[in-house]
Amino acid sequence: VSNAGVGMAGPLECQSLAAMQSLMDTNFFGLVRLVKEVLPDMKRRRGGHIVVISSIMGLQGIVFNDIYAASKFAVEGFCESLVVQALRFNVAISLVEPGPVMTEFEAKVYEEAERADYSRTDPETADIFTNLYLKNSKDVFASLGQTPEDIAEHTLRVIEAARPPFRHQTNVAYTPMAALKHADPSGALMTDTFYKLVFKYDAVLRLSLR
């Protein structure tokens, strides 16, 4: 089970390349290093199961989560590319894709975001992040967040499955969000929907979550 991860949220201009590289080293290359260690023996034994804790943000990018989403997209692409070869050796790969989870991990990300210096971005972007994104994120967590125990139960079901799924989303509330991409290959539907949620209907969104 690969579960190492760090988070990052905020305007792109306010994040250093060193911090981005460190995040990718944990979230993506940490998984790669693990798989390189365990896969050869699993192939020799012709049996095994690699379970990767990914994220709904590996399927759908979310505003102000650019680098974190990129790391999870990398995880998803890596596993999607590897799974066919692995199946030839009777090795299963499963991606567990949670939405928000109420842990110290998430709390730390948002605490750091609230204390960060936004002088390197323009005032409008800083205002959007602090007064729209952070406020909405708190409502999303309060309404849709899952407990670590819930994610553990989902992961256990994936591990014990007779035919392990390649992808398993833990929160059905996020299925429509991920489906928007496939409904319109041009990306216009997804982009328009998220733009309106963030900039036009944010008050309605917060009220519905509460």
Side-chain angles (χ1 to χ4, degrees), residues 12-135:
L12 185 66
E13 308 94 305
C14 301
Q15 298 164 342
S16 71
L17 281 174
M20 297 177 194
Q21 289 168 336
S22 177
L23 181 146
M24 292 296 294
D25 189 54
T26 298
N27 291 10
F28 175 61
F29 287 107
L31 167 65
V32 173
R33 287 191 289 268
L34 176 65
V35 172
K36 276 177 64 70
E37 288 294 323
V38 302
L39 186 61
D41 187 58
M42 289 182 174
K43 289 165 77 172
R44 279 192 293 271
R45 290 186 285 112
R46 297 217 166 233
H49 189 187
I50 298 168
V51 179
V52 180
I53 306 302
S54 180
S55 169
I56 195 70
M57 278 193 251
L59 299 175
Q60 172 64 60
I62 301 294
V63 63
F64 291 119
N65 284 269
D66 322 281
I67 306 305
Y68 180 78
S71 74
K72 292 301 184 178
F73 267 68
V75 164
E76 295 269 335
F78 173 72
C79 292
E80 195 170 278
S81 299
L82 193 61
V83 66
V84 174
Q85 178 205 146
L87 286 173
R88 179 69 177 177
F89 294 88
N90 196 38
V91 176
I93 297 177
S94 296
L95 289 156
V96 177
E97 299 162 334
V101 185
M102 295 178 289
T103 66
E104 291 181 7
F105 173 94
E106 304 284 2
K108 183 180 178 184
V109 169
Y110 291 108
E111 284 172 6
E112 289 176 352
E114 288 176 337
R115 295 195 307 265
D117 175 15
Y118 299 115
S119 61
R120 283 173 291 174
T121 190
D122 58 278
E124 185 176 359
T125 299
D127 181 67
I128 292 167
F129 178 67
T130 55
N131 293 318
L132 284 179
Y133 174 80
L134 287 178
K135 286 180 181 178

Side-chain angles (χ1 to χ4, degrees), residues 130-206:
T130 55
N131 293 318
L132 284 179
Y133 174 80
L134 287 178
K135 286 180 181 178
N136 283 339
S137 294
K138 289 176 181 177
D139 289 337
V140 166
F141 268 81
S143 178
L144 301 176
Q146 293 177 275
T147 65
E149 291 78 13
D150 193 17
I151 304 303
E153 289 293 336
H154 278 272
T155 305
L156 182 61
R157 289 202 291 273
V158 168
I159 291 170
E160 293 181 334
R163 298 187 65 180
F166 175 58
R167 284 192 170 95
H168 176 82
Q169 293 175 28
T170 67
N171 193 329
V172 295
Y174 284 86
T175 302
M177 183 181 81
L180 284 173
K181 257 187 177 172
H182 302 288
D184 175 16
S186 78
L189 177 61
M190 178 272 295
T191 304
D192 185 60
T193 300
F194 277 87
Y195 182 88
K196 287 176 179 174
L197 276 175
V198 173
F199 295 114
K200 290 190 175 183
Y201 306 130
D202 64 292
V204 176
L205 172 63
R206 285 202 300 273

